[in-house]
Amino acid sequence: MTNNAIEIRGLQKTYKGGRGTPAKHALKGVDLTVPAGKIFGLLGPNGAGKSTMINIMAGLVNKSSGTVKIWGFDQDENPRQSRAAIGVMPQELNLDPFFTPRGALEVQAGLYGVPKHQRQSDDILRMVGLSDKAEAYARTLSGGMQRRLLLGKALVHQPQVLVLDEPTAGVDIELRQMLWSNIRRLNEERGVTVILTTHYLEEAEEMCDEIAIINHGEVVARDSTANLLGQVDSKCMVIDPVAPVETLPSAPGIEVTRRGDGRIALTYQARETSAEDVLGAVRAAGIAIADVKTEQADLEDVFLQLTKST
Ligand code: ADP
Ligand code: MG
């Protein structure tokens, strides 16, 4: 047994340059520990090094230096055990167009040496909602279905650690909800440790117990989600008025802007100003509210705030 699902020490990756492109130092000595049983978020902007890290864990990219332990097994000393402990859903769709979902799962199970009687292709197809597409060619599946099949493929050998690289980038809300609930179930019912990368702060907030933020190949923050988000205090309430607004609300601590579509955006610091204060200012300006929603601070805000203080 181990308490850490992943232990990464001094991980470096330099991609060799070629024909006019310079070498790229994509990971600059990353240390990262992911406790077993968590849903862990790896956040960062495009090009930060998230996929490089994940592909190294998956054994798809060779590291330049450092150590990677998966479920207690050092990748170099125990390659077979460390590979068996991890399942990876890659960022890119990489399915063979001539395989069916069932065929793809069976081939993957074969690659991992899962004996026929232990295979769970039907269960996995059901879980990812592809039972009725079990015999369809992968090239006929929608992008969302192909993503779900990639999730299924990552599960065939029942890994203790499941790694998802941007699982919901560009997918519709329904599919996102389905992926989220599948991932939660795996974590809660089977105790699978989940590591996911995402652009979406909202996704990290909803899903992840702990978060590391990576930028330019370095971990710049690592904390519980609550602690990290607690540092981002800025909130935005958007009001859809019943009638066009002539005079904007005005109150201390609230920044008011008019949007092109006639809605009014009110930005405030949650520590100093409550949602009730904001609504009060709107009412005081005589504005009748047709609809209201709050917008999340996005990853960029977190970044700006986190990197400012370091
Ligand atoms: P992320 O997943 O966070 O967007 P990546 O790990 O894909 O970031 O990329 C990190 C950096 O390494 C980027 O600058 C990217 O251009 C570069 N990179 C990624 N893969 C390769 C590769 N195969 N060859 C050269 N450079 C690469
Ligand atoms: Mg990536």
Side-chain angles (χ1 to χ4, degrees):
M1 228 1 241
T2 173
N3 290 321
N4 288 325
I6 301 281
E7 275 179 50
I8 291 175
R9 293 282 165 266
L11 185 63
Q12 304 229 23
K13 174 65 187 179
T14 303
Y15 289 104
K16 285 201 187 73
R19 291 197 198 151
T21 45
K24 174 75 198 174
H25 198 183
L27 295 177
K28 302 171 182 167
V30 168
D31 295 325
L32 187 68
T33 301
V34 178
K38 301 281 182 195
I39 300 184
F40 190 90
L42 195 57
L43 307 193
N46 263 330
K50 304 181 296 295
S51 292
T52 299
M53 233 164 111
I54 278 176
N55 290 337
I56 290 172
M57 290 185 220
L60 300 170
V61 165
N62 291 325
K63 60 187 181 249
S64 303
S65 61
T67 57
V68 175
K69 280 189 189 176
I70 296 160
W71 212 246
F73 297 110
D74 186 293
Q75 225 179 21
D76 300 323
E77 291 165 13
N78 299 94
R80 210 171 50 81
Q81 290 95 326
S82 76
R83 203 169 97 88
I86 191 169
V88 178
M89 175 181 172
Q91 180 171 6
E92 309 289 338
L93 294 174
N94 61 356
L95 293 163
D96 186 319
F98 297 106
F99 276 119
T100 65
R102 191 192 304 283
L105 294 182
E106 289 292 323
V107 167
Q108 184 82 355
L111 284 175
Y112 277 90
V114 182
K116 277 232 155 60
H117 67 276
Q118 281 179 20
R119 295 188 188 170
Q120 301 185 309
S121 298
D122 285 326
D123 286 347
I124 292 175
L125 287 169
R126 203 171 311 122
M127 171 175 192
V128 298
L130 289 175
S131 297
D132 57 344
K133 295 282 178 187
E135 313 301 342
Y137 286 120
R139 67 182 145 81
T140 68
L141 302 179
S142 70
M145 290 174 183
Q146 295 193 28
R147 284 197 161 267
R148 284 184 268 157
L149 179 54
L150 288 179
L151 173 61
K153 278 180 70 180
L155 295 171
V156 293
H157 58 297
Q158 296 188 271
Q160 291 94 334
V161 184
L162 177 65
V163 181
L164 310 157
D165 197 357
E166 312 251 358
T168 61
V171 307
D172 61 38
I173 290 175
E174 212 174 318
L175 175 57
R176 183 173 299 186
Q177 294 294 348
M178 177 175 164
L179 283 167
W180 282 357
S181 73
N182 279 338
I183 291 164
R184 255 196 222 100
R185 271 214 339 260
L186 285 165
N187 176 254
E188 283 167 11
E189 292 172 16
R190 301 204 204 164
V192 174
T193 304
V194 178
I195 300 171
L196 60 90
T197 74
T198 180
H199 271 64
Y200 305 115
L201 185 61
E202 190 192 55
E203 178 160 83
E205 183 171 7
E206 165 126 8
M207 293 288 297
C208 301
D209 308 307
E210 296 184 16
I211 288 176
I213 293 185
I214 174 167
N215 196 16
H216 299 305
E218 292 177 298
V219 173
V220 295
R222 159 84 169 85
D223 211 331
S224 70
T225 307
N227 282 349
L228 279 180
L229 291 171
Q231 296 179 35
V232 189
D233 198 35
S234 178
K235 295 217 166 178
C236 183
M237 189 184 290
V238 181
I239 304 285
D240 197 359
V242 171
V245 171
E246 279 164 23
T247 316
L248 291 177
S250 137
I254 305 175
E255 187 192 317
V256 186
T257 53
R258 191 193 296 273
R259 296 215 167 147
D261 55 9
R263 293 187 302 164
I264 309 296
L266 304 104
T267 307
Y268 58 101
Q269 305 300 313
R271 245 185 297 257
E272 288 146 24
T273 306
S274 70
E276 192 48 53
D277 295 337
V278 178
L279 286 171
V282 172
R283 284 191 213 101
I287 297 169
I289 300 171
D291 200 2
V292 59
K293 68 176 179 119
T294 52
E295 288 182 355
Q296 292 279 347
D298 62 17
L299 189 54
E300 207 164 317
D301 298 333
V302 184
F303 260 110
L304 290 175
Q305 295 210 18
L306 284 173
T307 48
K308 228 174 12 193
S309 60
T310 52

